[in-house]
């Protein structure tokens, strides 16, 4: 009785690892900030509850929040998006789903960089699209010529993520602009996942939407403000693309029959996040950078590893000791949880992903265990 659509979707390997955690495990598997949501955000959500803001909001979200997001995009990246071209979603995950489900027909081709976040592959399959993998090189760089060569008459989307999960790569202006030019030249749409845009250490964030109207920008509050459980994300569409495809109204069709709206009181918490001091973000990123340096310096003499430039993941090549699954099993047996790289695509076969969104002291303990095993 179960649909083939459901049968064909694989459970997330990340969640499987998360479920293996025991009280004495060091969890370097889950991609979630270990910080509490800042107090001023919680207080504003409590106030919204006290004021009875517990009913449906408009399908596309409260106007104040959409206006503030519009302001943020202009102030941070000089990107002009009208508030009416923004939808508040139940996390960035729903924004990804709306983007793919509203555009991909059976047999349509979607370019996905490999390795990439697990949801991209499954959502394309759920929409009955065809995944076209573009393998990243050893430095996780994108070959723009290979992207062009992979485009056919059936190609519709490019899914892009910077800063990237699982690699920690932050793509430079040349690469982002190059992808934007490809989208223009071949009449494609870039779905740009920018949920880690504020978690960058030594580089600068560039959005494809700065260089092309043919982009759906996706972001959220989970990573930047430690609000994973609040389930507030958003997508933004240029006026030109929306006029061409009536994209917002078509996305709302799916949104209203699946989620109706994002939690109303949580939207007011998100509004406080944008309007309040950003010192909490700065402090969190500084701590992530400290942890990044710790785990990179601890692993670089054991595995071949690129220094992460953003997000809170490190993705070492462990092939000297076996494939990613074999090494992950050894580590999990020794109470260090990580995710085999194969979970992020075939090109991650020889890798494992560690998340350093956990306590500094726990990372120190994990490095000590890893050294004992592999040295």
């Amino acid at each position: 009785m179960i649909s083939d659509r459901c049968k064909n979707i694989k459970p997330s390997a990340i969640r499987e690892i998360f479920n293996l955690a025991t009280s004495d495990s060091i969890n370097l598997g889950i991609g979630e900030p270990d910080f509490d949501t800042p107090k001023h955000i919680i207080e504003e959500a409590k106030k919204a509850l006290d004021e009875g803001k517990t009913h449906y909001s408009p399908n596309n979200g409260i106007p104040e929040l959409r206006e503030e997001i519009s302001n943020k995009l202009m102030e941070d990246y000089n990107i002009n998006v009208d508030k009416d071209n923004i939808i508040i979603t139940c996390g960035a995950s729903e924004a990804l789903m709306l983007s793919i489900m509203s555009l991909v027909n059976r047999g349509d081709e979607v370019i996905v960089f490999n390795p990439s976040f697990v949801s991209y592959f499954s959502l394309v399959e759920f929409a009955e699209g065809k995944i076209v993998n573009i393998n990243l090189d050893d430095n996780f760089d994108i070959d723009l010529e290979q992207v062009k060569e992979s485009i056919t008459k059936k190609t519709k989307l490019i899914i892009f993520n910077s800063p990237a999960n699982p690699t920690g790569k932050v793509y430079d202006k040349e690469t982002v602009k190059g992808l934007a030019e490809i989208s223009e030249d071949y009449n494609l749409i870039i779905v740009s996942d920018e949920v880690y845009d504020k978690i960058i250490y030594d580089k600068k964030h560039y959005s494809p939407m700065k260089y092309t109207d043919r982009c759906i920008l996706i972001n959220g509050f989970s990573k930047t403000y430690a609000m994973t459980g609040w389930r507030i994300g958003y997508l933004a569409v240029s006026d030109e693309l929306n006029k061409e495809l009536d994209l917002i109204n078509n996305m709302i069709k799916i949104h209203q029959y699946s989620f109706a709206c994002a939690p109303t009181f949580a939207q007011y918490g998100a509004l406080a996040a944008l309007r309040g001091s950003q010192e909490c973000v700065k402090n969190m990123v500084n701590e992530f950078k400290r942890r990044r340096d710790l785990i990179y310096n601890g692993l670089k003499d054991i595995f071949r590893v690129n220094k992460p430039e953003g997000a809170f993941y490190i993705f070492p090549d462990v092939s000297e000791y076996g494939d990613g699954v074999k090494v992950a099993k050894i580590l999990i047996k020794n109470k260090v949880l990580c995710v085999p790289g194969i979970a992020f695509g075939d090109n991650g076969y020889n890798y494992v992903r560690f998340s350093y969104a956990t306590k500094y002291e726990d990372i120190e303990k994990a490095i000590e265990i890893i050294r004992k095993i592999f040295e």
Side-chain angles (χ1 to χ4, degrees):
M1 294 293 288
I2 301 297
S3 71
D4 291 339
R5 183 184 300 106
C6 189
K7 288 179 181 177
N8 291 336
I9 299 297
K10 298 175 183 177
S12 169
I14 300 172
R15 283 288 157 186
E16 290 179 9
I17 296 298
F18 184 69
N19 292 336
L20 291 173
T22 59
S23 58
D24 58 343
S25 295
I26 302 172
N27 193 346
L28 303 184
I30 200 70
E32 177 178 32
D34 62 319
F35 299 89
D36 292 332
T37 303
K39 288 183 178 180
H40 68 281
I41 298 173
I42 293 171
E43 289 305 315
E44 198 62 31
K46 286 181 179 177
K47 181 182 174 184
L49 288 168
D50 289 338
E51 292 175 352
K53 293 173 180 173
T54 58
H55 303 281
Y56 293 126
S57 79
N59 288 137
N60 54 355
I62 60 173
E64 305 97 305
L65 180 55
R66 289 184 284 115
E67 185 71 53
E68 204 63 41
I69 290 168
S70 175
N71 293 339
K72 163 194 152 60
L73 293 174
M74 176 55 73
E75 290 171 9
D76 291 355
Y77 306 119
N78 198 29
I79 294 172
N80 184 19
V81 181
D82 189 273
K83 68 177 176 62
D84 291 334
N85 289 342
I86 294 170
I87 300 176
I88 309 302
T89 56
C90 292
S93 297
E94 191 210 347
L96 285 167
M97 188 200 77
L98 291 180
S99 301
I100 292 167
M101 295 298 287
S102 62
L103 288 167
V104 176
N105 288 313
R106 179 181 295 176
D108 284 344
E109 294 178 357
V110 178
I111 291 174
V112 180
F113 300 106
N114 195 323
S116 275
F117 180 48
V118 293
S119 290
Y120 306 155
F121 302 98
S122 294
L123 286 171
V124 172
E125 290 173 352
F126 194 68
E128 300 183 90
K130 179 183 177 183
I131 297 164
V132 177
N133 286 289
I134 302 289
N135 285 346
L136 303 175
D137 68 16
D138 289 344
N139 294 316
F140 309 129
D141 286 319
I142 294 169
D143 185 335
L144 294 175
E145 289 303 314
Q146 187 182 357
V147 175
K148 293 177 187 176
E149 292 168 4
S150 301
I151 295 169
T152 72
K153 291 181 180 179
K154 292 185 177 180
T155 308
K156 186 170 278 187
L157 302 181
I158 299 172
I159 301 179
F160 177 65
N161 177 213
S162 179
N165 176 8
T167 64
K169 182 78 173 183
V170 176
Y171 289 96
D172 58 22
K173 182 178 179 180
E174 182 182 4
T175 300
V176 175
K177 196 172 182 180
L179 287 173
E181 289 170 355
I182 290 171
S183 72
E184 294 279 344
D185 293 343
Y186 293 89
N187 201 38
L188 307 177
I189 296 173
I190 299 174
V191 177
S192 183
D193 181 352
E194 303 180 22
V195 294
Y196 300 98
D197 69 325
K198 296 301 180 186
I199 306 175
I200 293 181
Y201 310 116
D202 308 307
K203 297 183 77 174
K204 182 178 178 181
H205 177 68
Y206 294 96
S207 171
M209 191 175 268
K210 173 66 178 172
Y211 308 106
T212 179
D213 289 321
R214 304 195 64 77
C215 176
I216 301 170
L217 187 156
I218 291 171
N219 209 325
F221 295 81
S222 290
K223 314 299 185 180
T224 303
Y225 298 100
M227 294 173 64
T228 51
W230 295 63
R231 307 318 301 138
I232 299 291
Y234 63 88
L235 61 84
V237 179
S238 70
D239 195 51
E240 184 174 312
L241 186 62
N242 192 50
K243 285 178 179 176
E244 176 189 338
L245 300 176
D246 195 23
L247 197 48
I248 293 294
N249 283 333
N250 278 292
M251 288 177 169
I252 288 291
K253 291 178 190 176
I254 301 171
H255 178 64
Q256 67 186 0
Y257 290 123
S258 51
F259 295 88
C261 66
T264 301
F265 66 90
Q267 292 186 55
Y268 285 96
L271 182 61
L274 293 180
R275 287 180 173 173
S277 169
Q278 300 303 297
E279 195 67 21
C280 56
V281 179
K282 181 181 177 181
N283 292 339
M284 186 170 70
V285 173
N286 285 340
E287 176 59 18
F288 281 144
K289 184 176 182 180
R290 193 169 79 99
R291 297 174 186 179
R292 185 275 309 260
D293 292 343
L294 171 66
I295 198 166
Y296 171 72
N297 290 326
L299 296 179
K300 68 180 182 179
D301 295 328
I302 305 171
F303 307 121
R304 190 189 69 78
V305 60
N306 293 295
K307 192 174 187 177
E309 299 160 333
F312 36 69
Y313 309 107
I314 192 166
F315 201 58
D317 180 339
V318 298
S319 55
E320 184 178 347
Y321 307 97
D323 61 61
V325 172
K326 178 181 178 180
V327 170
K329 285 181 177 178
I330 292 169
L331 290 170
I332 291 167
K333 186 177 180 181
N334 285 273
K335 303 296 184 180
V336 176
L337 302 188
C338 61
V339 182
I342 192 73
F344 306 96
D346 292 345
N347 199 31
Y349 181 78
N350 287 321
Y351 295 78
V352 298
R353 190 194 77 174
F354 296 106
S355 166
Y356 48 92
T358 193
K359 292 178 182 178
Y360 192 93
E361 295 76 17
D362 284 346
I363 297 171
E364 286 181 313
K365 292 175 186 175
I367 291 170
E368 186 178 341
I369 292 169
I370 292 167
R371 281 180 174 160
K372 284 180 180 178
I373 294 170
F374 297 109
E375 288 188 342

